[in-house]
């Protein structure tokens, strides 16, 4: 069987065995419990809250509206009362504005989103964003200004520890496919590809069962990080290269994560807004699980549902260990982008004591974008941003492969994240001249 891949990348310890076979469990909630729902949970313009203290809201009701085209709606996951407009801890921004909700009912009925003949309007109204972690508003991706001929279902889930997509692919195979077929039909896309890494053969076989019923290509991918990166996945499945500064649609492709396709299917078919998602909770917890969680739930509740900590936690990562962020508080709420909660103890963490670069070249071999991290590091440290533009830092996808393989523990990806912000400012200024 032919397996598809890309240049560079790494093979970290995947640590998925604790949860790969665990069915998705539904997290129970009680009347009187509170949720703290961050108002902005997506990339783009912030949303604006449209409720105030003491308002009563019905499950599925819009509580914050989109702040522009590249923005997203937000809906309440329960019927309840707005306790306050407050702040919630956030792993990137410190504290962010949030709506504190007291749950008054826990039934399944929800307010449906308004019907529309326009597919993109439904996706926008439902507040759907990329559930792979990027949280880019889906209706924007689904409004391409030019012809797209290929749609890719991203079932790579290449980040270590995470198995939420794996479980969705086994337990909700047909819903994912129906969401993808809907997009294919509405956007008149000719080709549908499903890409799954070969460490999830059970999921690959599930999709295989539907190949005679629905018309799509099923690609088995080498298990290699970052196989789920859009550019890597597009190359592995179509051979197309997304040029620097361009988007997948510039090479005629749209990529969505499996969870996003399921959300699209539910929005179109049942009028369901996006107010819950599957989260993998693993690492040093008594019983690691995949859990269906409402947005705004504190991570402490997820950890309790898994039986609590094993040993003393040193770091809790929200997302995957390669691209996720450390939580500053157990009160940190889950959002639409929370794919994982990973608890690490001191012994689970690598020694991060850094030493001088030994010019070994491992970072260059590992970089999936063909960059030269060792040289880019020098320009970053010396704030030589023009040089960084020449060395294509904007192409860095912040995957962390270079930092992972570096024997001198240079925190390369951290330098590039900071430097890229400065470089983007320079490029914006150049474009305005
Ligand atoms: S973080 Fe950037 S420079 Fe480092 S390996 Fe990934 S793409 Fe290359
Ligand atoms: S991997 Fe680390 S030590 Fe080796 S060349 Fe790159 S930065 Fe230097």
């Amino acid at each position: 069987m032919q397996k598809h891949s890309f240049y560079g990348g790494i093979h970290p310890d995947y640590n998925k065995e604790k949860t790969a076979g665990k069915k998705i469990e539904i997290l129970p909630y009680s009347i009187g419990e509170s949720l703290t729902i961050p108002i902005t949970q997506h990339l783009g313009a912030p949303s604006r809250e449209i409720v105030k203290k003491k308002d009563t809201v019905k499950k599925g009701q819009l509580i914050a509206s989109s702040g522009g085209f590249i923005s997203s709606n937000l809906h309440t996951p329960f019927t309840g009362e707005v306790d306050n407009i407050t702040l919630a801890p956030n792993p990137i921004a410190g504290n962010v504005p949030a709506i504190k909700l007291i749950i008054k009912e826990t039934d399944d009925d929800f307010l449906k989103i308004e019907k529309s003949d326009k597919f993109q309007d439904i996706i926008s109204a439902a507040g759907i964003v990329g559930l792979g972690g990027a949280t880019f508003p889906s209706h924007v991706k689904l409004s391409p200004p030019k012809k797209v001929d290929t749609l890719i279902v991203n079932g790579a889930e290449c980040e270590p520890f995470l198995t939420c997509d794996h479980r969705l692919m086994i337990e909700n195979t047909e819903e994912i496919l129906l969401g993808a077929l809907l997009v294919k039909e509405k956007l008149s896309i000719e080709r549908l590809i499903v890409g799954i890494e070969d460490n999830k053969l059970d999921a690959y076989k599930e999709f295989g069962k539907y190949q005679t019923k629905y018309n799509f290509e099923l690609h088995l991918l080498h298990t290699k990080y970052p196989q789920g990166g859009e550019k890597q996945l597009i190359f592995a499945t179509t051979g197309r290269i997304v040029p620097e500064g361009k988007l997948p649609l510039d090479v005629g492709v749209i990529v969505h994560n499996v969870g996003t396709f399921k959300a699209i299917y539910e929005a179109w078919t049942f009028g369901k807004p996006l107010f819950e998602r599957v989260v993998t909770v693993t690492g040093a917890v008594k019983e690691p699980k995949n859990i269906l969680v409402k947005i705004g739930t504190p991570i402490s509740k997820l950890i309790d549902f898994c039986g609590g900590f094993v040993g003393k936690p040193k770091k809790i990562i929200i997302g995957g260990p390669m691209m996720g962020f450390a939580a500053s508080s157990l009160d940190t709420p889950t959002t639409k982008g929370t794919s994982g909660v990973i608890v690490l103890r001191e012994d689970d963490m690598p020694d991060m004591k850094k030493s001088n670069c030994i010019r070994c070249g491992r970072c260059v071999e590992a970089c999936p974008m063909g960059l030269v991290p060792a040289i880019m590091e020098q320009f970053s440290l010396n704030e030589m941003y023009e040089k960084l533009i020449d060395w294509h830092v904007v192409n860095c996808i912040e995957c962390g492969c270079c930092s992972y393989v570096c024997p001198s523990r240079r925190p390369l990806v951290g330098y590039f994240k900071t430097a890229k912000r400065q470089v983007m400012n320079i490029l914006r200024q150049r474009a305005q001249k």
Side-chain angles (χ1 to χ4, degrees), residues 103-285:
I103 301 171
K104 297 284 182 195
E105 285 176 26
T106 56
D107 56 347
D108 291 336
D109 293 341
F110 58 84
L111 275 185
K112 293 184 179 178
I113 48 175
E114 250 180 60
K115 284 211 165 86
S116 166
D117 292 336
K118 196 170 170 215
F119 177 61
Q120 287 84 351
D121 288 350
I122 298 271
I123 306 308
S124 171
I128 298 175
V129 300
L131 296 181
T135 66
F136 189 74
S138 299
H139 65 275
V140 181
K141 256 195 191 181
L142 296 176
S143 310
K146 54 176 89 167
K147 170 75 183 150
V148 164
D149 63 19
T150 305
L151 179 65
I152 302 177
V153 178
N154 188 350
E157 199 172 47
C158 58
E159 272 268 11
F161 286 96
L162 302 183
T163 57
C164 51
D165 286 355
H166 185 172
R167 290 313 308 176
L168 273 180
M169 286 192 282
I170 291 172
E171 298 177 39
N172 299 97
T173 324
E174 194 161 19
E175 288 99 320
I176 294 165
L177 277 172
L178 289 172
L181 290 162
L182 196 57
V183 174
K184 181 175 179 284
E185 181 206 315
K186 298 292 176 191
L187 274 67
S188 303
I189 297 173
E190 292 98 33
R191 193 176 173 201
L192 174 61
I193 298 173
V194 178
I196 302 175
E197 280 191 339
D198 61 1
N199 62 353
K200 294 178 266 294
L201 280 177
D202 47 0
Y204 179 81
K205 283 179 190 154
E206 281 304 316
F207 275 87
K209 290 178 189 168
Y210 290 93
Q211 271 198 289
T212 46
K213 188 170 176 186
Y214 305 117
N215 183 22
F216 66 96
E217 295 172 35
L218 185 55
H219 289 221
L220 193 60
L221 310 167
H222 269 299
T223 297
K224 184 164 69 163
Y225 178 84
Q227 185 66 259
E230 280 192 337
K231 292 177 180 177
Q232 286 64 41
L233 186 62
I234 291 169
F235 180 74
T237 54
T238 69
R240 297 179 194 175
I241 295 172
V242 181
E244 179 172 330
K246 299 287 181 188
L247 298 167
L249 68 90
D250 292 306
V251 293
V253 180
I254 291 177
V255 182
H256 268 308
N257 162 273
V258 290
T260 315
F261 280 118
K262 178 172 177 279
I264 288 170
Y265 167 73
E266 291 176 339
W268 179 261
T269 313
F270 309 118
K272 184 180 172 187
L274 180 63
F275 51 64
E276 60 188 2
R277 66 156 298 144
V278 181
V279 181
T280 302
V281 183
T282 188
V285 292

Side-chain angles (χ1 to χ4, degrees), residues 355-364 373-374 377 402 405-410 412:
S355 51
N356 290 336
C357 170
I358 56 167
R359 298 273 180 260
C360 65
R362 285 187 211 172
C363 54
V364 182
E377 182 197 21
C402 49
V405 295
C406 178
S408 302
R409 295 283 172 238
R410 309 294 304 167
L412 301 164

Side-chain angles (χ1 to χ4, degrees), residues 13-16 18-19 157-164 279-285 288-290 299 302-303 306 309 312-327 330 334 338-345 348-349:
D13 288 338
Y14 284 98
N15 291 307
K16 291 178 186 264
K18 282 184 181 171
T19 51
E157 199 172 47
C158 58
E159 272 268 11
F161 286 96
L162 302 183
T163 57
C164 51
V279 181
T280 302
V281 183
T282 188
V285 292
K289 293 178 177 185
N290 296 297
I299 58 169
L302 278 62
I303 291 164
C306 292
F309 296 120
K312 195 172 170 213
K314 175 79 178 169
K315 190 175 187 181
I316 301 176
I317 300 172
I318 308 285
M322 296 301 297
M323 294 189 75
F325 295 89
L330 284 170
T334 55
T338 307
S339 50
V341 175
I342 304 167
V343 180
L344 300 176
R345 295 162 297 196
D348 303 321
M349 301 188 27

